[in-house]
Amino acid sequence: SRSPSLVIIDSIQTMLCDAAGSSSAGGITQVRECVGLFLRLAKSTGVPIVLVGHVTKSGDVAGPRTVEHMVDSVLYLEAGALID
């Protein structure tokens, strides 16, 4: 069987991990446990994992900022104004 060459999780705030118990999706415990699970998976398999986190309408990161301190890199992508 073939392994994936890349995994994309969109969005980390919606993931649920059994290790986090009954806490709700997007909460600090769920996000921390899910990110930890994906980090271990990436390191053990060598498959890069891209975790997508969304922002609110006000521009703040949705959910806890825990992810920013656990991952190797944080990229902010913004759409510019469309020009006709």
Side-chain angles (χ1 to χ4, degrees):
S1 73
R2 293 177 26 179
S3 296
S5 55
L6 174 70
V7 174
I8 300 174
I9 304 297
D10 183 12
S11 103
I12 190 62
Q13 291 102 332
T14 63
M15 300 301 297
L16 290 172
C17 180
D18 287 342
S22 61
S23 59
S24 61
I28 292 172
T29 303
Q30 279 291 346
V31 170
R32 183 176 52 242
E33 291 298 325
C34 290
V35 170
L37 174 74
F38 289 123
L39 287 173
R40 290 188 300 277
L41 180 65
K43 289 180 182 193
S44 68
T45 62
V47 175
I49 298 178
V50 176
L51 301 174
V52 177
H54 293 273
V55 296
T56 62
K57 289 181 181 179
S58 64
D60 298 321
V61 174
R65 299 183 74 103
T66 305
V67 175
E68 293 177 321
H69 302 288
M70 295 179 71
V71 297
D72 293 330
S73 178
V74 176
L75 305 173
Y76 290 92
L77 304 176
E78 296 182 19
L82 297 176
I83 300 173
D84 289 330

